[in-house]
Amino acid sequence: MRAMSNPATAIPSRAPSAIAADDTVMPFEVAALDLRGRVVRLGPLVDEILEKHAYPQPVAKLLGEALVLTVMLGSALKIDGRFILQTQSDGPVRMLVADFTVPGKVRACARFDKQRVAAALRSGQADAGALLGKGHLAMTIDQGSDTSRYQGLVAFDGGTLEDAAHEYFLRSEQIPTRVRLAVAEELRAGEGGASHRWRAGGILLQFLPKSPERARVADLDPGDVPEGVEPHTLPEDDAWLEGRALVSTVEDVELIDPALSSERLVYRLFHEPGVRVFRASSLRAECSCSRGSVEVMLKSFSQDDRDHMVENGKISVTCEFCSANYVFAPGDVDAKG
Ligand SMILES: [Zn+2]
């Protein structure tokens, strides 16, 4: 380590931590290239959520990716609230929902067509694009009141969640962004035979220069350009080209490796320009449903809708995220009650 020559600007530097911490998100900054990003590392959290749902393997993998992306984007929220990521599409996997509640609660679930997923698996057409099909990805920030609900929407057709995220940042935010997502089952030999557990991880990189000139997105489609006219294209900034090239070298195994710390991962990528890391925050799998919130929801329905929900003299509601079951006597959830 070099001596601090200028005490006014020196940032203490140290070796990257070797300790890998699961279920965390760690922000970082590469000041020399105007890059900022986050590394997400999920261990027991993603295993708990995916194991509980027991979805077919490719559906679980997709939901794991959605979860990583949700943590990546939701953890940028500075104030209390919830970030919700949701896909809706015409493929065998009709819907993926994951949400992140500040400061670090996450949950996720999927809706899919069993037969179509099985058919896709049999035909060997079970990659992300084939499973999702055509539809859209919605990202909502919910801060409690209706007025602060903000939604971003992007269409996708046969691509991955990474592709959809890139498209979203290009169109809606106009921030040059690269996202890498990885999910895998780790097999380990044990006493009772091999056991497996889910692991997931990802890295987000964004180019955020101080000068607005450099922040312009180069590869945005200019729209209606008359035939024969070359669209005006901006050259990509060298710093962003370098950052993007570096992040594209990250392999899936590096993103999920339980022995590779988030600090070592970013150091591996950005040791040359220099990288600054910020305190990682921890995440946990926890649903936000409650008997009280289900009661409020039931009371908001029409009497007719509630009457249709009565079975054997009871209204039973199961949370799609965590499978918690809430049972009410019809009289308990009357609008008047
Ligand atoms: Zn729940």
Side-chain angles (χ1 to χ4, degrees), residues 45-57 59-61 63-64 67 96-98 106-112 114 198 285 287 318-324:
L45 179 161
V46 69
D47 190 50
E48 181 186 330
I49 291 175
L50 298 183
E51 274 300 299
K52 206 174 207 175
H53 285 308
Y55 296 143
Q57 199 257 5
V59 179
K61 195 164 181 285
L63 189 62
L67 201 53
L96 300 168
V97 196
V106 295
R107 59 180 190 171
C109 66
R111 279 188 200 160
F112 59 98
K114 256 188 193 158
W198 288 99
C287 195
T318 301
C319 174
E320 219 174 326
F321 288 101
C322 70
S323 309

Side-chain angles (χ1 to χ4, degrees), residues 211-225:
S211 116
E213 286 301 296
R214 290 177 60 206
R216 283 190 298 178
V217 176
D219 46 348
L220 189 65
D221 187 334
D224 296 328
V225 176

Side-chain angles (χ1 to χ4, degrees), residues 103-312:
K105 262 175 27 176
V106 295
R107 59 180 190 171
C109 66
R111 279 188 200 160
F112 59 98
D113 185 321
K114 256 188 193 158
Q115 264 105 43
R116 288 180 68 196
V117 169
L121 278 168
R122 275 196 305 274
S123 66
Q125 301 270 305
D127 63 7
L131 288 177
L132 290 170
K134 187 176 179 171
H136 65 261
L137 171 71
M139 289 177 260
T140 308
I141 295 168
D142 183 0
Q143 270 150 351
S145 67
D146 290 340
T147 49
S148 65
R149 235 177 138 90
Y150 163 80
Q151 195 171 55
L153 207 64
V154 66
F156 59 78
D157 185 2
T160 62
L161 283 177
E162 279 180 14
D163 297 336
H166 293 154
E167 189 68 12
Y168 169 77
F169 279 103
L170 186 65
R171 303 274 159 194
S172 301
E173 310 269 328
Q174 303 196 4
I175 301 172
T177 302
R178 279 291 117 172
V179 162
R180 287 280 294 104
L181 309 169
V183 179
E185 274 181 292
E186 185 190 30
L187 292 162
R188 344 174 76 189
E191 276 176 33
S195 65
H196 73 97
R197 56 177 190 172
W198 288 99
R199 293 193 60 79
I203 186 167
L204 164 90
L205 190 70
Q206 297 193 303
F207 180 49
L208 297 161
K210 283 172 194 78
S211 116
E213 286 301 296
R214 290 177 60 206
R216 283 190 298 178
V217 176
D219 46 348
L220 189 65
D221 187 334
D224 296 328
V225 176
E227 229 176 293
V229 175
E230 275 294 300
H232 172 68
T233 51
L234 292 161
E236 295 236 60
D237 194 283
D238 286 345
W240 174 237
L241 286 177
E242 186 180 343
R244 204 173 64 178
L246 285 169
V247 92
S248 71
T249 65
V250 179
E251 291 184 40
D252 282 10
V253 63
E254 294 179 285
L255 295 170
I256 55 173
D257 183 353
L260 179 66
S261 74
S262 299
E263 288 193 4
R264 281 215 167 144
L265 175 64
V266 295
Y267 183 74
R268 202 177 263 187
L269 291 170
F270 303 110
H271 61 93
E272 237 167 81
V275 55
R276 182 180 178 195
V277 298
F278 300 92
R279 190 185 297 275
S281 46
S282 51
L283 309 156
R284 64 181 195 276
E286 190 183 314
C287 195
S288 45
C289 70
S290 68
R291 189 173 172 83
S293 61
V294 175
E295 196 176 325
V296 169
M297 178 191 76
L298 289 173
K299 283 179 177 171
S300 75
F301 290 170
S302 70
Q303 185 64 49
D304 192 45
D305 284 344
R306 270 195 304 274
D307 290 345
H308 278 97
M309 295 179 76
V310 178
E311 263 179 68
N312 304 321

